[in-house]
Amino acid sequence: MATKPIEKDTNVFVTGNEVVAWAALAADAKIMYGYPITPQNEIMHYWTRLAPKHDRNFLQTEDELSAGFTTCGGVLTGTRAFTATAGPGTVLMQEPLTMAEMMRIPIVVVVQQRGGPSTATVIYSQQEVTMCCYGGNGEGFRVVYSTSGHQDLYDYTIKAFNTAWKYSVPTIVLGDGYQAKMREAVTMYDPASRGIVMEETKPYVGAPGKPGVDRDPSFFKNTYNTEEELLDVVNDLKDHYDSFKDEITEYEEAFTDDAEIIVVGHGVVSRACKEAVKNLRKDGYKVGYFRPITLRPFPGKQLAAAVAGKQNILVVESALGQMKRFITEDLYGLTVPITGYFKPGKGVSSDELVDKVKSMMK
Amino acid sequence: MATKPIEKDTNVFVTGNEVVAWAALAADAKIMYGYPITPQNEIMHYWTRLAPKHDRNFLQTEDELSAGFTTCGGVLTGTRAFTATAGPGTVLMQEPLTMAEMMRIPIVVVVQQRGGPSTATVIYSQQEVTMCCYGGNGEGFRVVYSTSGHQDLYDYTIKAFNTAWKYSVPTIVLGDGYQAKMREAVTMYDPASRGIVMEETKPYVGAPGKPGVDRDPSFFKNTYNTEEELLDVVNDLKDHYDSFKDEITEYEEAFTDDAEIIVVGHGVVSRACKEAVKNLRKDGYKVGYFRPITLRPFPGKQLAAAVAGKQNILVVESALGQMKRFITEDLYGLTVPITGYFKPGKGVSSDELVDKVKSMMK
Amino acid sequence: MSDLKRIMLAGEGGQGVQSVAAILSEASYKTGKQVMYIPNFGVEQRGGVSVAFMQISSEAIGSPKFDNADLIVALSDRAVSRVKMYVNPNTIYVYDANISEEARTHLPKADEVAKIVEIPAHEIANTELHVRVFNVIIMGAVLGLTDMVSIDVIKEALEHKFAKKFEANPALRDMNYTALEKGMSLVR
Amino acid sequence: MSDLKRIMLAGEGGQGVQSVAAILSEASYKTGKQVMYIPNFGVEQRGGVSVAFMQISSEAIGSPKFDNADLIVALSDRAVSRVKMYVNPNTIYVYDANISEEARTHLPKADEVAKIVEIPAHEIANTELHVRVFNVIIMGAVLGLTDMVSIDVIKEALEHKFAKKFEANPALRDMNYTALEKGMSLVR
Amino acid sequence: MRDFKSVMTENGKGKFYLFTELCKGCGLCIEKCPKHTIGWSERVGIYGAPTVEPGHGEEDCIACKTCQTVCPDCAIMIEKIK
Amino acid sequence: MRDFKSVMTENGKGKFYLFTELCKGCGLCIEKCPKHTIGWSERVGIYGAPTVEPGHGEEDCIACKTCQTVCPDCAIMIEKIK
Amino acid sequence: MAVEFNNVAPAMPACWRKETKTHKFCPGCGHGIVLKALGEAIDELGIQDKVIFSVDIGCCLLAIDFFNCDTVQTHHGRTNAVCAGVKRATPDKIVIAYMGDGGGYAIGSQHLVNCAARNEKITSILVNNTNYGMTGGQMAPTTLPGQKTETSPYGRSVEQQGEPTHGPEMVAAMAGQGAYVARGTVAKPKQLKNYLKKALQAQLNGSGFSFVEALSTCPTNWATNAQKTWAFLENEMQAEYPVGEFKVPEEGGQTK
Amino acid sequence: MAVEFNNVAPAMPACWRKETKTHKFCPGCGHGIVLKALGEAIDELGIQDKVIFSVDIGCCLLAIDFFNCDTVQTHHGRTNAVCAGVKRATPDKIVIAYMGDGGGYAIGSQHLVNCAARNEKITSILVNNTNYGMTGGQMAPTTLPGQKTETSPYGRSVEQQGEPTHGPEMVAAMAGQGAYVARGTVAKPKQLKNYLKKALQAQLNGSGFSFVEALSTCPTNWATNAQKTWAFLENEMQAEYPVGEFKVPEEGGQTK
Ligand SMILES: Cc1ncc(C[n+]2csc(CCOP(=O)(O)OP(=O)(O)O)c2C)c(N)n1
Ligand SMILES: Cc1ncc(C[n+]2csc(CCOP(=O)(O)OP(=O)(O)O)c2C)c(N)n1
Ligand code: SF4
Ligand code: SF4
Ligand code: SF4
Ligand code: SF4
């Protein structure tokens, strides 16, 4: 058998797509299924180069529907499997994701967001947030980690596999075109060296023994006959989701205690927010910073605590308020005014946020 | 040429799917593209029986992606065209819908909701709300009419074509399995008899004249090279949407003035809400009723006005709070408590709402 | 409150509850009532219990389905189980005598409903009349228990629906009418 | 604030701005700096302006792209237009002398930036050295205007990258070194 | 393992077992019997429709098992009478 | 209607027009010329790469128009010299 | 002379799950015959414990608990994709995709075509009943010229809707070396069983993609009695769709 | 002896839109040759004012403003569907779908197969460059055995990834009477033009679906110089993919 792909800590200067490929290797993912789309292509490029050396597999499918459904198939056998996509590919991925939600199939999907709607740009956006959290004909029983840079991509890709398998929930690592294509430093490590134990995978189908003789056969279905049955199923899914959601909710905050304005951003935008807040603090502005790491479940309670009694919440997105909708959902009842700073499909710089906050504090 | 399919008012007792087929005929839709899925099938069944008699066309496509994209193709030629789908079909329909959003193609899509996630049930739900309003990799530049019964299905199917073509926006008529399959009375009419003028359709491609000689060729694209370009495009789409949204927002309210609790429901659920409120009023309970008819744009301002100073808002859905998310988005800042009554995938009766409200008012 | 009547018919696929519901609801719509009829439907075309929900009122009708039925007609073992949750103290409950002992244990007790009636519709159809008019007997029973529409209107509806068949075979008309009246008399 | 440097290189596809940025950013990462490099990319593989965004700092780096560049290098007519919105009073602006008269009208005025430098990199490459080292001259110019990394580190990087080629043809090494130094001297 | 109720009819060369809980009364077997011996029985099957039995034609069963083979529900089993 | 700049080279039987704003310097024409007469020119094309011209081989142009036909950019036009 | 028994076992394939019988297919539906043939093939090859069975959305979904084999229901048209995913992850399993003509030739045709092209080592079984059964009898790619369905109420027009899709012929044109492709009919259950067995054998040998179309019956949506059901199948359908083998791997695993 | 001119018109098809030239395709990309052949076919048939041109997402999107013809960009793989929709609504237009091998044979294969099956009266042109060009050179259904791409870095393995897809052969197996199916190559632009003309003629006649695959070049992703570009096309690709006509309508509009 192949040795561990990463034995000891390795510091490298690479693209985010390369980071994801290495993280999936380190997480002991056995197979990737995928269809090309910019800006996630290089995940496949690296994976296909590395996979044979580490006894891993790859299947290039005919489209993203197939990429999603083959991933479901692979996972059902108890194999740690993943796919990656973006933009219109993420739109198509909603169909397999709804099956995974219903049948609790722990697929991992890396989404490198690009501009929308439609084909739009191949570059960057945060416009796939609603879709990743609540896409399809259901109620969004998924976990979504929004990453802000290479270390996140490494850490949360590994974590995504564990969350998925521990809770039997489809899990999305939400990146974007910037993170996919940019180069910055990252420390890659063997998860075991950080005390991370990879969750054991279990076969949904194909367990040992003759079905009907040694054990019951397993039947996995997604269709129900009556409303009443479905209500029970969806309520079960909800109860299951609620049972672990507090446990996995993640966020980051800084300078919130005495702040008058809280700047909220997720993903790569949170870096601009953090930098802006740091710079504003140097100039004496009382500004705080809050970053949801899990977008689903959303750290609403924590955000509510952070913004209580503040003058304003500045919500920053490279989208038209997709995250803001989660904020108002969870913060409804509060009266702290919310200001939106939305640049759909376009990056946000710390400089413009500094200006924005200054104009608000005048 | 064929005469008008409906000359004078006709009162009939039929299924909702039949109503939709007749409404599309009356609205002078020229072609339907579609793929079978329960519970919308009978729209196609009626349409295919009626179409040849009225010089209309039908194409059964290979899937819902094709149904959506062929509809886009038909509409681009300046032909009033529509499709219908449900559940997993609506999931797939998101891809063509994003193209229609981006390129402002006035397709009309009738969605007869069924249970989700995944294949789930073929029966009924209100779980396609988020997807119809904000599905895909974009910002939800669509119009969504939520119907509550056969007269609505007739009226709003006709209206959908006019909204779509007047504002160049993809428009969804949101029904459900109950409405699709139930029989009740409806009055069908010639739109002209109600003073409804069908908007003129304009060819996006294939207008008269030799391109490059008599006129410029028309180029319709959905791809942009830079973030800056895309930001402008999306902002334009938003400005365009904002320019007409107040004009088309629709809602219904009753008994709100002196009410202590406002019951909010959309679609067929609103009938149970209305009936419950009426019955509660007879018993002396001060309860009001609010029904958003357009879910996108959402009548947030009107709802805010209706609930101001009330004791509670009871939000009723056959979903896990998909409409509630729009309410909190628009009502953020208010402090009227919101209570959710959610039955994902299951119908809601007036009796249970009567009980619920009584328990809240104890 | 209002004069709203909520009726639920449940039976096996072949027992024709949907056509009973369709004829009754269409007929009472024609008499100027507000009517709502919704079939229960699912993924299986055959093999499931068939349920019809009907509401008749002089006022606008709310939700297509309801929790409490004013009249329930259960025609098979599985139907008896299926309708259970719709039973309430005001319910008039009708069931076919043909159900099994097992199923009888699932019937509401007399004091749990307004009225409970056993009808030997199955037997009558099979012995006195013809299997094919089983559902017409049921239709008669529903008519006998509600004032939703007069028997003449239903006769007219049957006349309309089976025009050709009745013409070809007038005995068929008689059999249908007899079945209808038989059904009414069973619940009186 | 911090010692953050924001550098933007823009040119035509063939001019090699991405490889300049890749070598420079990797080299300064190796010296222990915090570095971020992001190429501009679009739907077209060829034919668009190629832009590289680099940030170097001793502190953690924020957004990958930025609004105001500390150093801008524009190498073609279209590049001059493309970088316009990144110019600010603190910008050091470098452009190749080869651009058209038209393009010159789009250059910032001397008082709008901290410094503006015209360099004849194109000409030097074509006449004195070789087209292929055009981007090495540019690399030198960037080095000359920032203290991001020492020239030796870059030489080492080139040594590493072109090991085989330099071995096969030592004159190539010399040419690259000359180009690098030439580039530095042009901006001094 | 589940048991099924059956009715056995001897007719010609075969013991014809009909499983009432399996037969849906589709009639496919009737059409395929080379001897035209299968016909409707008084007994009803799982869906309340009549089931089938041999002995309805002019000829007797030859135990060819065609009916068993074509029955989609495995509702017939033929045992050759030796 | 837009005009294009061209350079005309007479060589053998053909007037060889090369449109510098169209030629991307791909070299496809060079490979296909049956007379091997096309080669790189000093003039650069739209992408800054060298363009092409006839007169580089041992034989002259025979005005067969192959180059014109294969150029993906319509950057060559051959006029037969009568 | 009718004798009643309680303990005679019906002649069901061993791998059929008795607890779920009678199955949920309509009276006279050919799915039962196909699944009997498949069950016998599984029994004869002795692979029940290796099989992973996967059903499409369509009437096939009624087979979710049909066999004593692990079974997965997928989405409409996606069964070949799910099965390819399963097989790639666990090549030692015998993976069977079961679908209707709508699922295989319409909405899932990209998966069928590309599984064939990639020569995925799975067995794909497609039940051709000339319509969309589960949704109530709409036109399918396989509907015959002139045939009336809910969406071709005046009969399928070749001019408007094209010729019926000939699936095995298409798959044979796409699939590579070692593939097995055949068309059987429920009117010939033994032949059908043999085709299915050969298909599974191809998978066991790892030689290539295996695909069997089964011409089948749908009395519910055809609105036919038993006699007309057989007649439609054996006369009209078999005239349009030739039964036989289209691609057979050679002994060594290569396709002739 | 070089003379400069400002007013000599290049030998472009009349329907090419001069304002957008030089076009955006890479140096040496065969798309330019295909579009020249198409432009000439349009000119010769005199149908410019009737054409509705539609481009897929893939390198073809660069042709959004290529012709003086109304043009629609669609989604990746969806061009045949959009065109079917256009044609059904306006049968008097000449509708041309333009796509790559990924768009046509992978993600959009259900549309291609079913347009062929329905015999949609459109003309579908597919440019086969053996890879996914726009996204930077990944494996395509058409990648040759052993060929290295970004996702087959060690060469395409037939065992793992199957044989290359032969599109026209598949389409010919599916399409009905009156269809036209051919494969040309940019190495033979005149032949290619003729095929395209016949395809458009089939549409003009309303006889059936018309499909032309064009073998093309992609020096950028192949990383080839001009010489190797031609060599790969003419030797390796043409060896795998026979050039010629696969289905031709008879005089009366029927396919031979
Ligand atoms: C995406 C999607 N579209 C449509 C449907 C609805 N649907 C369910 S089964 C079916 C047709 C099945 O027909 P076929 O595949 O021929 O199988 P059959 O039922 O005839 O055996 C359709 C269209 C669905 N479930 N999902
Ligand atoms: C749904 C979706 N998936 C993936 C993509 C990304 N994508 C754009 S072009 C392309 C490949 C194009 O390859 P091909 O069709 O062969 O055309 P070429 O560029 O080679 O001419 C892909 C995968 C997309 N735009 N949409
Ligand atoms: S075994 Fe043969 S002869 Fe006997 S009943 Fe069955 S089909 Fe008829
Ligand atoms: S025995 Fe089988 S084939 Fe015969 S009627 Fe019964 S179910 Fe049909
Ligand atoms: S016309 Fe023919 S001979 Fe002349 S340069 Fe072109 S290819 Fe060569
Ligand atoms: S083929 Fe055309 S673009 Fe290429 S080098 Fe020759 S003239 Fe220039």
Side-chain angles (χ1 to χ4, degrees), chain B residues 28-44:
Chain B
D28 208 24
K30 297 293 188 204
I31 184 163
M32 174 180 189
Y33 303 88
Y35 188 75
I37 191 162
T38 311
Q40 74 80 14
N41 290 311
E42 295 81 9
I43 299 179
M44 298 188 310

Side-chain angles (χ1 to χ4, degrees), chain E residues 16 33-35 37-38 61-67 78:
Chain E
F16 186 110
C33 171
K35 297 290 143 194
T37 183
I38 313 181
C61 171
I62 53 167
C64 70
K65 296 198 182 188
T66 303
C67 54
I78 303 294

